[in-house]
């Protein structure tokens, strides 16, 4: 039973604020990802949890115990880094046994625990091989196994998959997901890969420049991004953004730019607050754009639509990404793999207002719709 509470954590290195006033609670057994671009403060946050760094201000609690002044070795944490922290000259068995040995665990119990961990991680066949000879995935499994075997209160993982090649990375992502489900271990996982965060986490803390931008489930972070930064960082291909302004007339509200008028009267209450800040950004995910060849349309479509021409198509096998150029704007849409568009083909792009997001131009201001 370990929950982690971070209250008002700030870490400064000289003049640079690496983490700014971070509040985060991680429930017992929860798997939380710290996600954000390079330099946003993920590792610094993790290092404050592990004791490798001392917070400038703020408190960290494991359950009800404030751990700021507790030495790293007494915090009960397990750390796994990007580089494989294993002894390459020792066998997989000895690597897994290491933590138990230095705790004075009896031989028989060590053997039993190591075999159980090897079975669990599916590395039984390589138990007696030198760890330096293992495949990359088995090395990383060994690194995770030797940390898990001592049953840490909190498991801290800093980009453990980023040194792996694409295939091993996919294998290990699935393995981590299985581990997460089976070991029921409070885990904080650092990554800059939004797909890893979306697939593995119970909740994702999205960070930018040392500040927390949103902390919620993958589903909510994806579908209801709290600001433009989050909307842009999560999802691949990224959300499309179109600059526009607000027009209020009678009881209706429209987002307009030189290419289209979108009736967003359903969100009028929230939009009216922005009547004096005309610089807004409309955001639509690629899967919410519909692309139709103009030759397939009997008449010009009505409602919100943009006319453009196909710039490029990227077949992914299960679907295609179509880039459509609309004047100076490039929009990306995902379309069924069965649809075929020619480069330069004239198309119409439509979208449903229910899937429209509206942000202010400043990336960190709260989303409007
Ligand atoms: N020991 C240090 N001394 C000075 N500056 C540091 C130190 N550690 C980190 N920083 C700075 O703090 C900021 C946050 O760094 P941090 O390593 O936490 O980022 P990160 O999100 O883990 O990035 P990455 O994805 O590249 O690992 C960066 O600007 C970094 O240069
Ligand atoms: Mg880092």
């Amino acid at each position: 039973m370990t929950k982690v509470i971070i209250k008002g954590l700030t870490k400064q290195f000289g003049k640079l604020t690496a983490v700014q006033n971070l509040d985060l609670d991680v429930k017992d057994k929860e798997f939380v990802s710290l996600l954000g671009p390079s330099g946003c403060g993920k590792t610094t946050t993790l290092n404050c949890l592990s004791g490798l760094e001392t917070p400038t201000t703020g408190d960290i609690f494991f359950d009800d115990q404030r751990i700021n002044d507790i030495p790293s070795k007494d915090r009960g944490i397990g750390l796994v880094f990007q580089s494989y922290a294993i002894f390459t000259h020792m066998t997989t068995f000895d690597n897994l046994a290491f933590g138990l040995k230095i705790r004075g665990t009896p031989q028989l119990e060590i053997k039993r625990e190591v075999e159980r961990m090897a079975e669990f991680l599916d590395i039984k066949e390589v138990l007696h091989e030198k760890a330096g000879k293992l495949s990359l995935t088995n090395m990383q499994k060994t690194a995770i196994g030797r940390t898990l075997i001592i049953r840490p209160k909190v498991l801290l993982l800093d980009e453990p998959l980023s040194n792996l090649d694409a295939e091993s990375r996919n294998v290990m992502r699935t393995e981590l997901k299985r581990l997460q489900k089976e070991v029921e271990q409070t885990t904080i996982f650092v990554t800059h890969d939004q797909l890893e965060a979306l697939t593995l986490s119970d909740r994702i803390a999205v960070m930018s420049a040392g500040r927390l931008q949103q902390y919620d489930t993958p589903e909510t972070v994806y579908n209801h991004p709290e600001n433009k930064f989050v909307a842009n960082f999560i999802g691949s291909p990224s959300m499309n953004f179109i600059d526009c302004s607000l027009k209020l007339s009678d009881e209706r509200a429209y987002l307009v730019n030189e290419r289209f008028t979108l009736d967003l009267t359903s969100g009028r209450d929230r939009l009216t607050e922005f009547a004096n800040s005309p610089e807004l950004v409309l955001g639509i995910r690629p899967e919410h754009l519909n692309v139709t060849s103009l030759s397939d349309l009997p008449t010009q479509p009505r409602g919100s639509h943009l006319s453009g021409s196909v710039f490029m198509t990227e077949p992914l096998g299960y679907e295609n990404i179509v880039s459509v150029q609309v004047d100076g704007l490039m929009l990306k849409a995902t379309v069924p793999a069965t649809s075929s568009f020619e480069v330069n083909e004239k198309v119409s792009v439509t979208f449903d207002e229910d899937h429209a997001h509206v942000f202010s131009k400043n990336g960190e201001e709260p989303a409007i719709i």
Side-chain angles (χ1 to χ4, degrees):
M1 280 287 290
T2 308
K3 62 174 192 249
V4 175
I5 296 170
I6 301 175
K7 275 192 187 155
L9 174 70
T10 294
K11 177 65 189 176
Q12 281 171 318
F13 295 106
K15 285 201 175 129
L16 181 120
T17 304
V19 180
Q20 194 176 339
N21 199 19
L22 175 72
D23 289 321
L24 210 66
D25 68 286
V26 180
K27 295 182 205 136
D28 179 40
K29 303 188 178 99
E30 198 174 20
F31 191 111
V32 163
S33 292
L34 304 182
L35 172 70
S38 185
C40 74
K42 308 178 293 291
T43 296
T44 304
T45 304
L46 210 71
N47 288 348
C48 288
L49 289 166
S50 70
L52 290 175
E53 295 286 359
T54 310
T56 306
T57 54
D59 297 307
I60 302 171
F61 298 87
F62 286 180
D63 291 329
D64 297 325
Q65 187 182 25
R66 183 175 177 276
I67 54 129
N68 290 50
D69 304 319
I70 295 183
S72 192
K73 65 178 176 41
D74 299 329
R75 291 189 184 187
I77 42 127
L79 261 176
V80 179
F81 298 104
Q82 176 176 346
S83 49
Y84 321 105
I86 53 171
F87 301 110
T88 47
H89 61 285
M90 288 176 13
T91 62
T92 309
F93 185 101
D94 288 339
N95 268 283
L96 292 176
F98 189 81
L100 298 175
K101 267 190 193 150
I102 56 172
R103 277 170 179 71
T105 311
Q107 284 290 339
L108 264 179
E109 195 180 327
I110 290 181
K111 187 163 183 292
R112 195 176 61 229
E113 289 292 310
V114 167
E115 281 172 359
R116 210 167 67 180
M117 185 55 75
E119 170 98 46
F120 178 59
L121 293 171
D122 198 17
I123 48 176
K124 252 170 63 186
E125 328 67 86
V126 293
L127 252 189
H128 300 288
E129 283 184 27
K130 286 267 192 308
K133 296 239 154 63
L134 301 180
S135 67
L136 293 180
T137 38
N138 284 344
M139 276 195 205
Q140 197 56 307
K141 280 184 183 181
T142 305
I144 292 172
R146 66 188 292 261
T147 309
L148 273 181
I149 207 164
I150 55 165
R151 309 222 169 120
K153 287 189 193 163
V154 183
L155 179 64
L156 304 173
L157 304 167
D158 194 349
E159 311 251 8
L161 311 185
S162 57
N163 270 4
L164 302 174
D165 55 74
E167 196 188 332
S168 313
R169 218 178 151 116
N170 284 340
V171 172
M172 273 308 288
R173 205 174 64 219
T174 315
E175 283 293 306
L176 264 186
K177 181 91 193 171
R178 184 176 67 88
L179 227 77
Q180 174 213 353
K181 288 275 160 286
E182 291 182 18
V183 294
E184 300 199 312
Q185 159 83 56
T186 309
T187 302
I188 302 176
F189 173 79
V190 162
T191 181
H192 61 265
D193 182 328
Q194 52 94 30
L195 186 64
E196 275 176 13
L198 285 173
T199 48
L200 290 168
S201 319
D202 294 316
R203 282 193 288 172
I204 304 175
V206 187
M207 296 175 71
S208 165
R211 289 187 298 273
L212 182 65
Q213 304 296 316
Q214 186 165 9
Y215 184 35
D216 218 314
T217 60
E219 192 269 336
T220 304
V221 168
Y222 187 84
N223 292 312
H224 306 287
E226 224 151 76
N227 60 30
K228 188 176 162 221
F229 175 86
V230 176
N232 188 38
F233 199 76
I234 304 255
S236 177
S238 297
M239 187 181 275
N240 297 288
F241 295 108
I242 307 171
D243 290 343
C244 53
S245 56
L246 179 65
K247 193 171 129 202
L248 298 170
S249 87
D250 305 324
E251 289 303 300
R252 306 202 73 76
Y254 301 95
L255 280 187
V256 294
N257 76 4
E258 63 274 23
R259 304 178 188 97
F260 70 90
T261 299
L262 176 66
D263 189 336
L264 274 183
T265 303
S266 54
R268 186 189 152 90
D269 286 354
R270 271 172 296 164
L271 281 169
T272 45
E273 285 175 41
F274 294 83
N276 295 323
S277 54
E279 296 217 314
L280 300 176
V281 179
L282 170 69
I284 308 181
R285 291 219 178 271
E287 63 269 33
H288 295 139
L289 287 180
N290 309 304
V291 184
T292 320
S293 173
L294 273 187
S295 58
D296 291 343
L297 290 171
T299 54
Q300 280 280 313
R302 292 163 46 141
S304 306
H305 95 105
L306 300 163
S307 298
S309 59
V310 172
F311 179 74
M312 184 168 63
T313 61
E314 297 163 76
L316 299 178
Y318 56 97
E319 65 183 12
N320 297 343
I321 301 172
V322 184
S323 303
V324 180
Q325 196 152 33
V326 180
D327 301 336
L329 201 68
M330 189 70 79
L331 299 177
K332 286 203 171 197
T334 46
V335 298
T338 47
S339 54
S340 60
F341 291 99
E342 301 289 328
V343 171
N344 293 331
E345 187 173 345
K346 299 277 174 265
V347 290
S348 154
V349 180
T350 56
F351 47 87
D352 187 339
E353 69 187 65
D354 289 347
H355 291 125
H357 299 263
V358 183
F359 304 98
S360 51
K361 260 200 170 159
N362 176 349
E364 293 191 15
E365 281 179 21
I368 300 161
I369 290 179

